[in-house]
Amino acid sequence: MARKGINSTHKVYYGRARTTRRRLLIGLLVFIVLLLAAVVGFFFLQEYIVATPEGFRFEFPFSQPAGGAEDPASSPDGQADAPEDPAGTPDEPAAPEEPEEEPESFTQAIEGDIAQVGDANYRAQLLTQAQQSGANTLVFTVKDANGSVYIPTDSALANQIGAVAADASVAEGLQALRQSGMHLTARLSANRDNLGARGMRDSALQTSSGAIWLDYDMIPWLAPSGAQTAEYLGQLAASCQQLGFDGLLLTNVGYPVRGRTNLITTDQNADKAALVTQMVSSIRSRVPDMTLAIELTDEAATAFSDANSGQVVNSLKAVCDQLVITADTAEDSTVQSLRSVVETQDSTCRVAVSLPASANPRSTERNYYLR
């Protein structure tokens, strides 16, 4: 009988071991997947974890109450915010709103002839010239050094001395220019006044003999201290305002600086600066809503004080809106020096420049008068 081999009598089974290894491998892969999912889920869900006194919990957006109200337990102290009690402590008054600052308006002016203002064709030409020059203001000489007054006025003093020389159409012409959107400034020769000084002799500058003092052009001056000087100028200023002028430009302000001024005895030992400032302040009080400009002498504009005229920059800037300096260009060094003295933090006064008609100011943010 033939001998059987070992494989013929003993069978070896490998299947169970392989199955066990396969299951272990699958289990390991599942564990790794679950671990990765847990790590990813933690980083994804950590923004929804909320700490409370009782521990940690998840708070998802879709679980929030309607309107996004906060859960009382999620507040720092674990309590809900108390509703406002309408009968409780009154609300604190709201802080008053600060008014918006209005942008500063600048005077950019050209000359007009008041004798022709009643002519519609002339007004049209003047408005065209103003538009081409970029001007927003028209300046008219209302009273010249002769003392003639070119507007209708109810001034008792002007009518008393026979100074009124106004055309009947002046008022209508001025009104038409106002309606076109232009500002109007009235120029008045303040103290240099031929008719005024002769008609109000007691208010004129005099010599030691009692005679009226005359300058080189044989024109007398009203004294700033004269009893009727400020009253007369104030009456004319009020008439200008009634006619629609919103600006007043005073020239020849104070005492004369040309001629034989040593012969003047009026106010010889007085405080001229105080008298000039007082006169200007009195005029200002009659027309507080008008822009008041004072033309400075050359000495006052460069040295900031003129003992002969009585003009002192620091005194005048307190009682007027503009101090006018005569220059060839708006960039003149004397203009800049004067601005540093006038346009300070404690003053609302500004410097304006009287320029030649041929000048072309570079900046529209500057006060100027083209002469």
Side-chain angles (χ1 to χ4, degrees):
M1 180 174 176
R3 186 179 179 180
K4 295 180 181 179
I6 188 168
N7 291 333
S8 63
T9 59
H10 301 281
K11 294 181 180 180
V12 180
Y13 178 67
Y14 299 100
R16 184 178 182 85
R18 292 176 179 175
T19 301
T20 301
R21 286 196 298 270
R22 187 180 297 112
R23 290 177 177 175
L24 290 175
L25 180 59
I26 293 173
L28 179 62
L29 290 175
V30 171
F31 174 77
I32 293 173
V33 171
L34 292 176
L35 179 62
L36 290 174
V39 172
V40 172
F42 173 79
F43 284 104
F44 176 77
L45 297 175
Q46 63 178 345
E47 62 177 309
Y48 303 111
I49 298 176
V50 177
T52 71
E54 290 79 19
F56 296 92
R57 65 184 176 83
F58 287 100
E59 186 173 276
F60 299 100
F62 51 78
S63 65
Q64 291 290 329
E70 185 181 5
D71 189 341
S74 65
S75 61
D77 57 0
Q79 298 180 358
D81 293 333
E84 295 182 1
D85 183 6
T89 305
D91 294 338
E92 295 182 2
E97 296 183 0
E98 296 184 1
E100 295 183 1
E101 294 185 2
E102 296 184 359
E104 183 177 359
S105 59
F106 295 90
T107 302
Q108 286 117 26
I110 63 172
E111 294 279 347
D113 184 0
I114 199 166
Q116 301 184 64
V117 76
D119 185 347
N121 292 329
Y122 173 74
R123 291 197 302 270
Q125 295 174 6
L126 191 60
L127 291 174
T128 299
Q129 181 183 351
Q131 184 178 12
Q132 293 174 347
S133 303
N136 57 21
T137 303
L138 299 174
V139 180
F140 295 100
T141 297
V142 168
K143 181 170 83 74
D144 57 18
N146 181 59
S148 298
V149 177
Y150 299 106
I151 59 170
T153 175
D154 57 3
S155 167
L157 291 172
N159 287 284
Q160 175 185 320
I161 63 178
V164 182
D167 187 277
S169 62
V170 168
E172 294 180 0
L174 293 173
Q175 183 180 7
L177 290 173
R178 284 278 295 178
Q179 292 175 346
S180 70
M182 297 298 293
H183 294 284
L184 304 179
T185 291
R187 177 192 282 114
L188 281 77
S189 177
N191 297 94
R192 193 173 189 234
D193 185 334
N194 185 42
L195 295 176
R198 295 181 188 277
M200 297 177 287
R201 189 183 182 92
D202 292 341
S203 293
L205 293 178
Q206 299 180 3
T207 65
S208 58
S209 65
I212 296 178
W213 181 88
L214 303 175
D215 62 20
Y216 282 150
D217 297 317
M218 306 301 290
I219 295 178
W221 287 57
L222 288 166
S225 62
Q228 296 176 305
T229 300
E231 175 66 18
Y232 179 44
L233 295 173
Q235 289 178 4
L236 294 180
S239 294
C240 290
Q241 187 176 44
Q242 293 172 2
L243 289 171
F245 286 95
D246 46 22
L248 190 66
L249 172 59
L250 299 181
T251 63
N252 300 315
V253 176
Y255 298 85
V257 295
R258 296 175 59 251
R260 301 181 65 181
T261 58
N262 60 306
L263 298 179
I264 300 174
T265 56
T266 306
D267 301 332
Q268 188 175 32
N269 300 316
D271 186 344
K272 292 183 177 180
L275 292 173
V276 170
T277 303
Q278 182 179 352
M279 179 191 71
V280 174
S281 179
S282 178
I283 298 170
R284 177 63 180 266
S285 67
R286 298 290 296 267
V287 286
D289 296 330
M290 294 184 73
T291 298
L292 179 58
I294 303 294
E295 186 177 74
L296 299 175
T297 64
D298 292 341
E299 180 71 14
T302 55
F304 316 132
S305 179
D306 186 348
N308 292 325
S309 70
Q311 295 183 2
V312 176
V313 167
N314 281 328
S315 297
L316 290 175
K317 76 176 187 179
V319 294
C320 62
D321 302 295
Q322 296 177 5
L323 293 180
V324 183
I325 178 175
T326 301
D328 292 330
T329 66
E331 291 74 28
D332 194 293
S333 60
T334 58
V335 177
Q336 307 308 319
S337 298
L338 184 62
R339 292 186 68 185
S340 66
V341 174
V342 174
E343 299 176 2
T344 55
Q345 292 183 349
D346 61 343
S347 173
T348 59
C349 187
R350 294 293 179 263
V351 172
V353 190
S354 177
L355 297 169
S358 58
N360 182 23
R362 297 180 181 178
S363 174
T364 57
E365 295 185 351
R366 186 74 60 86
N367 297 303
Y368 63 82
Y369 298 85
L370 298 183
R371 59 183 186 272

